[in-house]
Amino acid sequence: MLTTLEHASSFDAENISEEQAIADVKSAILNKMSLAVGKDAAYATDRDWFVACALAIRDRIAHRFLAGKRSSTSDGKKRVYYLSLEFLIGRQLTDVLSNMEMLDVFKHALGDLGVDYERVRNAEPDAALGNGGLGRLAACFMESMATLSIPAYGYGIRYENGLFRQAIKDGWQQEYPEDWLAFGTPWEFSRSDVIYDIKFGGSVETNRNDAGSMRFTWHPSEVVHAVAYDTPIVGWRGKHVNPLRLWAAHTMDPLRLELFNKGDHVGALSDQARVESISKVLYPSDETPAGQELRLRQEYFFVSASLQDLVNRHKRIFGDLYSLPDRAAIQLNDTHPAVAIPELMRILIDEHGLPWDEAWRITSNTFSYTNHTLLPEALETWPLPLFERLLPRHLQIIYFINSLHLEGVKAAFPNEPALLSSVSVIDEQGGRRLRMGQLAFIGSHTINGVSALHTDLMRATTFRDLHRVYPNRIQNKTNGITFRRWLHQSNPGLTGLLREVCGDEILDNPEAIHRLMEHADDASLQERISKVKHANKVALARLIADRTGVRVDPAALFDVQIKRIHEYKRQLLNLLETVALYDSIRANPTKDWVPRVKIFAGKAAASYVNAKLIIKLANDIARVVNGDPSVHNLLKVVFLPNYNVSLAESIIPAANLSEQISTAGMEASGTGNMKLALNGALTIGTIDGANIEIHDHVGSENIFIFGLTTPEVEDRRANGPSAQTSIANSPMLGQVLDAVGDGRYSPEDRGRFRPLVDGLRNNDRYMVTDDFDSYYAAQRRVDETWAKPDVWNRAAIANIANMAWFSSDRTISEYAEQIWKVPVG
Ligand SMILES: *Cc1c(COP(=O)(O)O)cnc(C)c1O
């Protein structure tokens, strides 16, 4: 009997029995173990088993991969190219096996060999080629595009070191290099034949030809090689496989290098290190742009390789480049790949001899751009001198794009000269910089926000003037998550229950989960849902004990805030409420308090001082609270180190309460909020990002909403600092701030948290003090609801049942129909 995600038909199709399938897989694994890993099974480590399994399943994927490539080449289908500087993939083994409907067969085969699948699964390092939500979105989208059989390539960088590994030492974050590739990865195919020259620097020579038109020749001062590595991305039920093509930087071949350096070997080696640094490390920052030259080199490196690759492919299949917009849709995931716009212009004009107007028609009908943030400090800009030094030809092209664009604006809005400076690609204030958001907008046919609110704010704030000039370009595409990873794989207990109650159809059609609502009032279903959750909490409690030494009671309310540590996400608000709750419990220990475990996880950018101090505060509060016998087990605080996709997969199925408490107007969408609600956690959240749409889907009685709205936040900002008043009006908040500021949680360094507290008192940019009372009150509503298990469990059911719309299959279908114009399925 098959228990998890298996479907008997997968064997029927190949007309073999389950026993035969297991025997075949066993021999495939053993074969890989001896011939590819080079080990005797008797001495194999967990990692060896992982590699052998990955190679065994990869063989089966490869056939479909090649078949898919051949068919979409021959039928001339339009392709989607998803350009992203980040792909936060995590582990792939379970994803691949369950999408290939081979998970149970592999588990059985390994079991017969005396090997535990869980250990094999845990031996795979996370592919952490991203910081947070933006990178994880790219990974969910790749999986959904494959599931919907959309011919697509993901393009990015094959970072040798992904996002740093976080350790907590004495409560402080420490960063260690992450080395997922230290022993290679069995998933990828290296394509030593797919290599492109990437040029940097030098000068541009201008000539006039006989007909009088200009010709531009770029003489770069440096050439780097981009080498392709393909990882197959398998869609659900293995119907379709797409490549994720990641580029690695290599120096030119040693012979040419030697010529280059005229026998200077040391110079040649340092050159090599400099060149290869381009694909060495992911920039560890998601909310502020990296200003470094290396970052710009990374962006151009992967963009140029990807465009050369797709232009080549298009020419090979279709013969000319005029049909590019009909056969290719290029999606820019944020502005990081926006230099693709002048790069495509350069390729079309300088390398293929197209006239400017035709090149612009092709370019602006091929690109679309997703905006991910409106935080002013996060909008990417480049100093003109740096950009000109690295990409002189591209700067010329951008100037020309901009001047034509501004001429158009002048003609359409003759009486509004002020409009020009706001819609220009060049920021004339503050030292002449290139604004990549403006460039991406001007060069794209469609620009999308990632939630309804965020899209409205794009139209009303950052892109208000560009929206007036090009009023039909902005669309909304609310983010989504792949249910395969975030429900079926990470929460098999809940998935099994859903299949029983709603039918196997849920595996293919998330809307079928809505049938759960028919039983929302059944005590028996409520009981079963809560049993599944409890089992997941027992597993998480064990993980918490293993990793932090803290013992938590699985019967307590598990309250989780897991995401990048950032002031706008307001972990600090949660921590201040934790202190207030701790004080209230101690003041009134016999009251019927709801036992809670506050679980935090997340990384802070290494240079982000306040975020790192917030991590320290969480750990210092944890030490005091967990060590205080007077609160018994009513409150525990846990900071789980090294948040990544795998840790998220362990925490989310065990969560009761999902903290989504960003300052209104600052979280573009959020996707953690979707994962948690789908797994039956109730949200405590602000009216921000996709929380608003989650609220609309699950209903007001099944979510705890609090805090200022976006317009209220703007009003308060306009009226000057409001923290003094908020603190004066809230004795509880005043006490909490005094306690934290005076060192109650840091007796060995009483001034440690002064900067955080003074920051709130003097310049509370993120409205923590304004929202404190409302948040505290919402938390007490949480307590009241938890005290009525039938009400809580019914609400958990309503959350699970109403999240279908947040499947990334829905999001990708909308992109396909409304932006890319490619057929689905
Ligand atoms: C989903 C996810 C995120 C995004 O979380 P938000 O709460 O939306 O910020 C970040 N990191 C990981 C590992 C994730 O899985």
Side-chain angles (χ1 to χ4, degrees), residues 117-118 126 161 388 410 423 449 474 480 521 569 784:
Y117 177 75
E118 278 312 299
D126 267 49
N161 302 101
E388 181 164 33
K410 248 185 266 177
V423 300
I474 298 182
D521 294 306
K569 291 179 181 277
E784 285 164 25

Side-chain angles (χ1 to χ4, degrees), residues 88 126 131-134 136-137 286 481 486 562-564 568-569 643-646 648-649 652 659-660 667 669-676:
L88 186 49
D126 267 49
N131 277 286
L134 175 150
R136 184 54 231 176
L137 186 77
D286 55 351
I481 54 173
W486 296 109
I562 50 173
K563 48 183 78 245
R564 288 302 298 253
Y568 89 81
K569 291 179 181 277
Y643 183 54
N644 60 13
V645 171
S646 291
E649 289 174 88
I652 288 168
E659 299 269 355
Q660 307 300 337
E667 186 74 88
S669 164
T671 48
N673 46 5
M674 302 170 189
K675 299 167 196 166
L676 284 152

